[in-house]
Amino acid sequence: MSELSVNHLLGIKYIQPKDIELIFKTADHFKEVINRPIKKVPSLRDITIANLFFENSTRTKLSFELAEKRLSADVVNFSAAQSSVKKGETLIDTVNNILSMKVDMVVMRHPNPGAGVFLSKHIGASIINAGDGAHEHPTQALLDSYSIRERLGEVTGKNVVIVGDILHSRVALSNIFALQKQGANVKICGPKTLIPKHIEKLGVTVETNLRKALEWADVANMLRIQNERLDISYFPSTREYTQQYGVTKDLLNSLDKEVVIMHPGPINRGVEMTSEVADSDQAIILNQVENGVAIRMAVIYLLASKIKQL
Ligand code: CP
């Protein structure tokens, strides 16, 4: 397979295992490029990309912008806070205004689930979902699986536990789809109040005891407690959450194997894990960030190749 089966990256749900393989193979090449003294290729000199962020971001926004610049694309950045969205402009009007400036591709983060899918039905540009509410964050899941593959050799057959606030997490849903499409076993772990009802229907198992989950796991992906999305109290206190679901070095040392620790960021240090764990060799958190640039270069490059064929 030499091209993606889709014209947009709206969610992992919409892509095939072969697409994931192609993205990883392409990312291998770009990872080599970004480790050269000159970290840039001229591939997308004829492509213009708009990064539309209607919600805050550090890693994803910077990572996409770096990926685009390392592919030599022209880049425009839009942040809702400083835009006419505040004056009541609709999403389609905002995007159509940007597209009339001859933009080929849109990278969009939006608080509403399905915003990318909605937009893809109304505009001609290729769309990459950079996170839509609690729905999907496909490039995060791709870089997470790519980082597991890099550390453990493969994803197929590995036991991966996703820990924490599953209810409000786009990272959890995209990871479940991505890991399953590659043949990994997925468990989720957290307080019952933060686990969606009927999640087993997605083919995952549920465990509320962190020690038991870690005894089973090769990899633990620790999710952030999303205080900004917690409309009510889902656990008695942050201290109590940390006592039950925070990873410490003592807990990891008491297991009879080494579990790889991941986190999509931003970390609440001392809540999801101690600083000692976050900064240890067992954690691949900064590898995830580094791999994010190569993965996003691969996704942009492969989607742009389809635009060029039109
Ligand atoms: N992982 C992630 O999406 O981080 P940001 O919210 O900083 O982009």
Side-chain angles (χ1 to χ4, degrees):
M1 186 166 149
S2 60
E3 65 167 27
L4 293 176
S5 66
V6 289
N7 294 326
H8 310 276
L9 181 64
L10 300 172
I12 301 291
K13 187 165 65 182
Y14 309 107
I15 65 172
Q16 309 296 323
K18 288 265 180 217
D19 292 316
I20 298 177
E21 268 175 46
L22 178 61
I23 292 167
F24 285 4
K25 206 172 121 207
T26 312
D28 285 342
H29 167 68
F30 287 129
K31 181 140 186 190
E32 189 261 310
V33 168
I34 59 182
N35 281 295
R36 288 180 196 161
I38 296 171
K39 304 169 176 52
K40 210 166 168 164
V41 286
S43 316
L44 299 193
R45 274 191 307 208
D46 48 350
I47 294 282
T48 304
I49 304 176
N51 298 317
L52 312 187
F53 279 73
F54 293 85
E55 209 184 50
N56 293 343
S57 168
T58 302
R59 272 146 295 274
T60 311
K61 191 164 183 284
L62 283 176
S63 181
F64 267 112
E65 197 173 336
L66 263 180
E68 292 151 4
K69 287 183 171 165
R70 286 181 175 164
L71 289 165
S72 304
D74 287 325
V75 180
V76 285
N77 287 305
F78 163 95
S79 165
Q82 289 102 39
S83 74
S84 290
V85 170
K86 294 274 170 214
K87 300 175 194 164
E89 193 173 50
T90 66
L91 176 60
I92 293 181
D93 280 344
T94 299
V95 176
N96 271 331
N97 272 279
I98 292 166
L99 291 181
S100 63
M101 300 175 208
K102 307 292 175 219
V103 166
D104 304 292
M105 193 180 288
V106 171
V107 174
M108 185 172 75
R109 171 166 289 192
H110 201 279
N112 295 347
V117 174
F118 172 76
L119 207 58
S120 69
K121 291 181 179 151
H122 290 89
I123 65 168
S126 185
I127 297 176
I128 301 177
N129 178 6
D132 58 334
H135 180 224
E136 280 229 37
H137 191 350
T139 55
Q140 178 69 46
L142 289 168
L143 74 89
D144 288 345
S145 285
Y146 186 80
S147 303
I148 294 172
R149 169 185 175 264
E150 185 176 70
R151 177 57 76 101
L152 297 179
E154 60 180 344
V155 177
T156 310
K158 295 291 182 269
N159 292 344
V160 181
V161 62
I162 305 171
V163 182
D165 181 0
I166 314 295
L167 188 65
H168 299 96
S169 176
R170 52 192 172 217
V171 176
L173 193 59
S174 286
N175 261 276
I176 290 169
F177 291 140
L179 291 163
Q180 289 179 335
K181 285 182 188 213
Q182 295 165 90
N185 309 305
V186 185
K187 192 183 287 297
I188 58 165
C189 176
K192 275 196 177 134
T193 49
L194 288 175
I195 294 179
K197 282 196 180 78
H198 313 300
I199 194 157
E200 292 93 339
K201 287 188 178 158
L202 292 179
V204 301
T205 53
V206 175
E207 174 59 68
T208 52
N209 182 299
L210 179 64
R211 166 174 283 283
K212 283 189 189 162
L214 292 176
E215 282 167 354
W216 169 88
D218 300 304
V219 177
N221 196 348
M222 309 299 299
L223 301 184
R224 183 172 68 88
I225 289 298
Q226 304 194 38
N227 290 311
E228 74 278 20
R229 294 192 210 273
L230 301 187
D231 44 348
I232 56 166
S233 260
Y234 289 84
F235 41 83
S237 66
T238 304
R239 192 158 157 259
E240 190 156 319
Y241 176 85
T242 300
Q243 274 172 357
Q244 287 195 50
Y245 295 103
V247 173
T248 63
K249 204 72 179 127
D250 284 348
L251 174 57
L252 292 178
N253 289 343
S254 72
L255 304 171
D256 62 7
K257 61 175 169 178
E258 190 168 297
V259 178
V260 176
I261 301 295
M262 304 176 70
H263 195 300
I267 307 177
N268 294 311
R269 280 177 183 263
V271 178
E272 295 98 35
M273 66 185 78
T274 60
S275 281
E276 198 185 5
V277 171
D279 300 331
S280 72
D281 290 342
Q282 228 168 311
I284 58 167
I285 298 164
L286 291 179
N287 306 69
Q288 290 172 258
V289 178
E290 181 186 343
N291 289 335
V293 178
I295 283 288
R296 289 173 176 125
M297 284 175 83
V299 169
I300 293 165
Y301 174 82
L302 290 165
L303 288 175
S305 307
K306 297 196 83 171
I307 295 172
K308 288 183 192 185
Q309 284 169 17
L310 294 176

